Amino acid sequence: MKNTFKTVVMLALLQLANTNVKAQAIPDSTMQKIDEFRVFYETLGKVYPPDSTVSINETVIAGVKSYWLNKELLNKKNLIVYLHGGVYTYGNFNTYHAMLSHLAKSFHAPILYIEYSLSPEHPYPTANNEIFNVYQELQRKFKGSEITLMGDSAGGGLAIALVGEVQEAKVPMPASLVLISPWIDLKCINDSYESKKALDPILSKDFLYNHALMYSSNSIKEADPSELKFKKFPPVFLLVGTDEVLNDDSKNFYAFIKPIQKNSKLKEYDGQKHVWLFSHIDSVKSRESLNDIKEFILASNK
């Protein structure tokens, strides 16, 4: 609860006044707020300690700084690629180290965290291109391995966008996707922005839309994962809290993708806020989520 209150205060201070600025012309005052929030966002990754038994190895893949967790398990022929959230603007490995270490321990699998470039300094499609290049390198280096894409919030949108690029380039699809509280519709027009507004202390429509404009350089339709069309799609598991404004992002994407991929799964977690595992890895609902994800990955990668 204390962590949530701190987030609410910082988000209130961060409100970006001008939603029509070009990404390459962000005012200094706005960049100062962004830099301050980046520092604060990093502290959120310290609300619980990392699992000290999980190995960490920094690396560079396709020119992009990345981090392996449980690298010694790569011989198992399955790996997870993690794409972090932060509205395309915040987050680094220090922010996600603790949560990822517990995921790696729970799944007993190697996880590659990609430290993609952030907006507004590096707007769309910079991060998308970096992630695609890393994915191609992994396909070359670990032929025959089952790759699961996992992402939270904006990272979920990036995972969907990567599948779109993979489809277009005709390279092998990932084995499965796991999306936690994904932000998919950058237009921010879903009903849950209003119906869940009073329940969500973390995100708001204005906050998300302002960052969508910065990330997309005001060309939201081009950058929007919800605008993509798919002929095929990997098995996907969407996890979302009942108490978050992004609730309909998961529901709407599930309704869209289920006819294309019958092994799609959607689960709502009662009373949970945005990316609840990030705040409370040992809660009952977080442990339930970890077990659900493990079962889904095992079933999808058979």
Side-chain angles (χ1 to χ4, degrees), residues 65-126:
K65 184 165 74 170
S66 304
Y67 293 84
W68 282 111
L69 298 92
N70 279 345
K71 184 179 180 181
E72 65 276 8
L73 298 179
L74 277 169
N75 59 354
K76 290 183 62 179
K77 295 298 182 183
N78 63 81
L79 62 97
I80 296 168
V81 173
Y82 197 92
L83 305 175
H84 71 85
V87 290
Y88 300 97
T89 307
Y90 313 104
N92 58 28
F93 184 72
N94 291 334
T95 312
Y96 279 84
H97 174 198
M99 185 181 78
L100 288 173
S101 70
H102 288 277
L103 296 184
K105 182 63 176 286
S106 179
F107 302 153
H108 193 61
I111 295 179
L112 181 73
Y113 167 93
I114 301 176
E115 190 131 285
Y116 58 82
S117 296
L118 300 174
S119 166
E121 302 96 318
H122 306 284
Y124 174 85
T126 306

Side-chain angles (χ1 to χ4, degrees), residues 113-145:
Y113 167 93
I114 301 176
E115 190 131 285
Y116 58 82
S117 296
L118 300 174
S119 166
E121 302 96 318
H122 306 284
Y124 174 85
T126 306
N128 307 67
N129 291 341
E130 291 174 345
I131 293 164
F132 179 69
N133 290 339
V134 172
Y135 179 80
Q136 281 193 304
E137 183 62 25
L138 292 175
Q139 287 285 359
R140 285 192 290 267
K141 190 169 184 180
F142 302 105
K143 281 187 178 179
S145 291

Side-chain angles (χ1 to χ4, degrees), residues 141-162:
K141 190 169 184 180
F142 302 105
K143 281 187 178 179
S145 291
E146 302 284 350
I147 298 178
T148 295
L149 297 181
M150 186 177 298
D152 72 273
S153 199
L158 286 167
I160 292 170
L162 175 60

Side-chain angles (χ1 to χ4, degrees), residues 13 56 61 70 81 88 107 166 224 243 269 279 283 288 293:
L13 294 173
I56 308 293
I61 301 176
N70 279 345
V81 173
Y88 300 97
F107 302 153
V166 165
D224 190 353
D243 296 359
Y269 293 80
S279 300
S283 71
E288 179 184 337
I293 292 169

